Amino acid sequence: MIDEGESVNQLDGAQLMMNLRESDVSVLYERALPAKRTGSLYGAFPYPTKISPEAIALYIAAHTKPGDTVFDGFSGSGTTGLAALLCESPSDELRSEAERLGLKVQWGARNAVLYEIGTLGAFVGRTLTNPPDVKAFREAADRILHEAKSDLSWMYEAVDPDGNIGAIRHAIWSDIFRCPSCLREVSLWDSCVSLAPARIASKFKCPECSHEASFGEVERLTETVADDVTGAETVRRARKIVRVYGITGKVRWSRSPTKDDLSLLDKIACEPVPDCVPNVAIPWGDLYRRGYHQGITHLHHFYTRRNLIVFAKLWELAGAYEGRLRDALRFWLLSYNASHATVMTRVVAKSDQKDLVVTSAQPGVLYVSGLPVEKSLFAGLQRKLKTIADAFSAIQGRAGKVEVCQHSSCDVNLADGSIDYVFTDPPFGGNIPYAEINFINEAWLRSFTDRSDEIIVSSSQKKTVFAYQKLLTEALSEVRRILKPGGKATLVFHSASAEIWNALQSAYTDAGLNVECAGVLDKTQGSFKQVTTSGAVRGDPVLLLGKDPEKERVSPGCAWDIAEQLSQESLLLDPSEQTPQRLYSRFVNYFLANHQQVPLNADVFYRWHYAKLASKGTGCERD
């Protein structure tokens, strides 16, 4: 940590930029590079913290030439492999961005080797970078949907307000409470939801006796039910259906549930669960919460019975195919599964909206709200089909080769000096427990991530920051070993904790790598934890690492004066850099580039920044 009383070395921003421009690639690190979260390749499969392949392609194209091989030891869902393939015949937008930045790029096919310890990530990356024939995929998917609908479309039937037969688009369920005053059973919906305009109140209010209380003071009811998957009784949170949204022809409608809806649910309750449903207990870890995970002990508890039966039917039909086509069909089903088919799907109230807005599961967590949503799988998967077909079409037939290995990055089976360039996005300490999050989809694949080499800070796995640093050092040592002489590694990282940043610094330093320059990757939309975590950082710092000997360490001086000078410099460079989150990313980069430990957590930096704004530059509080 830096003592505020140390002497200050003034930053020479112009000289820093001049040094960076000695390399053609420096422009990638001078300003925040946008990484959009749109397009079929990005939207084909939801995966936490992934980066758009178009943004990665710029780094690959700038740091390599056609025929070179790129390595990613933490490949997640395979976006580095997609990026390498995009370099063969880039889109007009990608070409224009390279020209705008002044990059001297040779477009052409690159190859990639991807290591990913996670079962789901490796499956997604392998399927997306080596897709099947798109026409055969579309025909098979259409056949599966048609056959499943023939057997089970009745499960989503509903009568509209005019008495016509329509189909359910989605339904909202609600937890049940007992009013502390009148002792009546009250749904969460009735106690806090209002429409036109849509609003979800933060307090319980009994619709019968008007008693008000915090939800922590109100008893949440449970029920004991027979579980025909496990063969045992299960105690779970009591819920009931409270709102039905449907479509008849092209007319959309919504209403309260009717006796017909309840009769349909009774009929579904009598339907057997298909044999292909995995009877597997959830190995809960860091994401378990005693309250909203009550009764969720096995995979199938994440589903309503209706959606469990329908998804299992679709999965069974996909299993009748073989090879890459079967994998592509399962990819399609899993792309919708955890995010939209489970009770983690939710509603939110947005300003100026008459009704609640349905959204997907929150990425990076396994949160189940008190108002879970049950979506029609047939409608959702039909919509998702086009996105995935477009993604497969964008990759099919490219000359580059992508090899995906489900293996620990701490033990890479590649020869010394065999890789031209590395682009990687390591796990951010304890930010996201990937193996735990991916369990729902991995259970359907019947193969689970080996967590022993998962590089993470985790109390449930008893992995401390030191253990995380040790594993990360092993992985980055492999990066240095396989890089050719003069080869570079671009590393994207995200943390609000100075301790995690310093663990990263120790890891790459001990591995024999050093920072040559640093920048920011500007993700246009953060993950759930990036958005909600106290002190979250918007925009991920990007480090260019080399194998050259470390430069002489220079004491950067007082942390607060450095923060002030970086603020002034960024204002001249780009006014959009004046957000506290972006400034903290620059603050981290400065210390890492000067081979110094990061002295402040993000929340401390933010308090300083807001106090500085409040004081209008006439003296600021320094925490």
Side-chain angles (χ1 to χ4, degrees):
M1 304 292 281
I2 290 181
D3 187 342
E4 292 183 28
E6 290 184 17
S7 61
V8 179
N9 293 328
Q10 295 295 320
L11 304 179
D12 186 346
Q15 185 61 49
L16 284 173
M17 289 301 158
M18 188 179 300
N19 293 339
L20 290 176
R21 290 194 180 97
E22 292 176 358
S23 169
D24 290 334
V25 302
S26 63
V27 292
L28 289 171
Y29 303 89
E30 290 177 8
R31 293 173 181 254
L33 185 68
K36 297 180 180 179
R37 297 192 166 199
T38 57
S40 61
L41 290 176
Y42 187 89
F45 202 101
Y47 202 86
T49 72
K50 66 181 177 179
I51 303 168
S52 67
E54 290 82 4
I56 301 175
L58 283 174
Y59 287 94
I60 292 175
H63 287 282
T64 63
K65 63 183 184 300
D68 282 355
T69 300
V70 180
F71 176 78
D72 186 350
F74 304 97
S75 65
S77 57
T79 47
T80 297
L82 295 175
L85 295 174
L86 290 179
C87 290
E88 179 184 351
S89 52
S91 65
D92 292 341
E93 184 180 5
L94 192 54
R95 287 180 182 273
S96 297
E97 184 66 9
E99 291 172 3
R100 184 186 70 81
L101 292 169
L103 294 171
K104 297 179 180 179
V105 171
Q106 283 183 273
W107 297 110
R110 272 79 164 169
N111 304 308
V113 178
L114 311 181
Y115 269 51
E116 168 55 37
I117 194 173
T119 294
L120 179 64
F123 171 79
V124 171
R126 190 179 298 115
T127 304
L128 197 48
T129 57
N130 296 276
D133 178 77
V134 178
K135 182 180 179 182
F137 165 72
R138 285 298 303 257
E139 290 175 349
D142 286 337
R143 281 195 297 271
I144 285 174
L145 277 177
H146 177 74
E147 187 171 345
K149 284 180 180 179
S150 296
D151 289 345
L152 300 175
S153 62
W154 61 268
M155 289 192 174
Y156 295 114
E157 283 186 357
V159 178
D160 68 22
D162 295 325
N164 302 310
I165 299 295
I168 295 173
R169 292 185 293 124
H170 64 271
I172 301 176
W173 291 71
S174 174
D175 286 359
I176 310 297
F177 294 84
R178 189 181 304 283
C179 174
S181 177
C182 67
L183 302 183
R184 288 185 174 89
E185 294 185 6
V186 179
S187 70
L188 175 62
W189 175 274
D190 289 334
S191 71
C192 71
V193 175
S194 56
L195 302 178
R199 182 172 178 268
I200 302 176
S202 59
K203 281 191 172 185
F204 172 91
K205 183 176 181 180
C206 179
E208 299 293 334
C209 70
S210 298
H211 177 78
E212 294 188 24
S214 68
F215 283 106
E217 299 172 326
V218 184
E219 179 189 2
R220 191 185 299 265
L221 300 185
T222 61
E223 59 184 1
T224 301
V225 297
D227 189 329
D228 53 356
V229 176
T230 64
E233 289 189 337
T234 297
V235 178
R236 66 186 186 188
R237 288 162 68 167
R239 294 192 183 108
K240 70 175 185 179
I241 193 167
V242 292
R243 193 76 179 171
V244 177
Y245 294 77
I247 186 167
T248 305
K250 295 183 178 180
V251 178
R252 295 188 175 195
W253 48 265
S254 66
R255 56 165 173 74
S256 298
T258 65
K259 289 182 179 180
D260 288 340
D261 297 321
L262 301 181
S263 296
L264 177 62
L265 293 175
D266 289 338
K267 183 179 177 182
I268 291 170
C270 296
E271 286 290 303
V273 173
D275 292 338
C276 69
V277 171
N279 179 10
V280 56
I282 302 169
W284 281 113
D286 299 307
L287 296 180
Y288 179 76
R289 299 294 181 268
R290 184 176 299 174
Y292 55 76
H293 287 142
Q294 183 176 16
I296 301 179
T297 62
H298 288 68
L299 169 74
H300 60 282
H301 296 154
F302 271 109
Y303 299 82
T304 63
R305 191 176 186 89
R306 172 164 38 203
N307 276 2
L308 180 66
I309 292 171
V310 172
F311 188 84
K313 176 67 174 180
L314 291 162
W315 189 261
E316 198 172 57
L317 292 170
Y321 294 83
E322 296 181 352
R324 285 195 296 169
L325 184 54
R326 180 187 60 192
D327 286 346
L329 293 169
R330 288 178 169 176
F331 175 100
W332 164 54
L333 296 177
L334 293 180
S335 74
Y336 196 77
N337 179 37
S339 296
H340 299 278
T342 69
V343 292
M344 293 189 296
T345 308
R346 59 206 165 90
V347 286
V348 295
K350 294 188 176 182
S351 59
D352 302 323
Q353 295 289 321
K354 292 183 178 180
D355 208 338
L356 299 175
V357 176
V358 179
T359 185
S360 64
Q362 294 171 337
V365 292
L366 295 174
Y367 173 69
V368 180
S369 81
L371 296 169
V373 175
E374 179 185 34
K375 292 183 177 180
S376 166
L377 300 193
F378 293 142
L381 284 165
Q382 185 69 63
R383 289 192 300 269
K384 194 66 189 276
L385 189 54
K386 182 181 184 305
T387 300
I388 292 176
D390 287 347
F392 288 166
S393 295
I395 294 302
Q396 193 175 46
R398 293 182 182 254
K401 303 299 181 184
V402 177
E403 179 184 0
V404 180
C405 305
Q406 187 184 344
H407 196 72
S408 169
S409 58
C410 297
D411 181 22
V412 177
N413 188 26
L414 292 173
D416 295 0
S418 59
I419 293 296
D420 298 284
Y421 172 63
V422 171
F423 186 98
T424 195
D425 186 12
F428 309 145
N431 194 34
I432 295 180
Y434 288 91
E436 190 174 359
I437 288 169
N438 292 338
F439 167 83
I440 293 175
N441 279 335
E442 290 183 352
W444 290 97
L445 293 170
R446 297 184 183 273
S447 177
F448 300 97
T449 299
D450 179 358
R451 302 187 187 188
S452 58
D453 274 349
E454 186 179 18
I455 300 179
I456 189 174
V457 178
S458 168
S459 58
S460 68
Q461 294 187 35
K462 298 181 180 178
K463 289 179 180 175
T464 63
V465 174
F466 177 76
Y468 166 78
Q469 178 183 317
K470 182 176 181 296
L471 288 168
L472 191 56
T473 301
E474 292 177 16
L476 294 178
S477 295
E478 287 289 80
V479 165
R480 190 185 193 284
R481 179 184 66 79
I482 64 177
L483 270 175
K484 291 180 178 178
K488 308 295 182 186
T490 297
L491 187 148
V492 181
F493 203 78
H494 171 98
S495 181
S497 166
E499 184 180 31
I500 297 300
W501 279 113
N502 294 329
L504 170 68
Q505 184 190 58
S506 296
Y508 65 66
T509 300
D510 292 346
L513 299 168
N514 70 89
V515 176
E516 296 190 356
C517 58
V520 174
L521 190 66
D522 183 14
K523 294 179 179 177
T524 57
Q525 177 185 345
S527 69
F528 176 68
K529 283 199 172 183
Q530 284 175 307
V531 171
T532 62
T533 300
S534 175
V537 182
R538 306 285 177 85
D540 293 353
V542 182
L543 307 177
L544 181 63
L545 303 177
K547 298 169 66 173
D548 295 334
E550 182 179 315
K551 299 175 184 178
E552 182 180 354
R553 291 175 178 251
V554 178
S555 176
C558 171
W560 305 111
D561 290 302
I562 289 168
E564 178 63 35
Q565 183 116 9
L566 286 171
S567 178
Q568 295 300 319
E569 287 184 354
S570 65
L571 183 61
L572 295 175
L573 182 66
D574 186 349
S576 69
E577 295 284 298
Q578 285 296 297
T579 65
Q581 294 86 0
R582 187 66 54 73
L583 288 172
Y584 182 71
S585 293
R586 294 294 187 192
F587 180 80
V588 167
N589 283 346
Y590 179 78
F591 281 90
L592 296 181
N594 280 280
H595 314 291
Q596 296 288 331
Q597 290 204 327
V598 177
L600 304 173
N601 289 337
D603 57 347
V604 176
F605 182 91
Y606 297 162
R607 288 199 297 271
W608 166 82
H609 178 79
Y610 291 128
K612 173 175 168 293
L613 291 179
S615 65
K616 297 181 180 180
T618 59
C620 63
E621 177 186 351
R622 296 180 176 178
D623 296 302

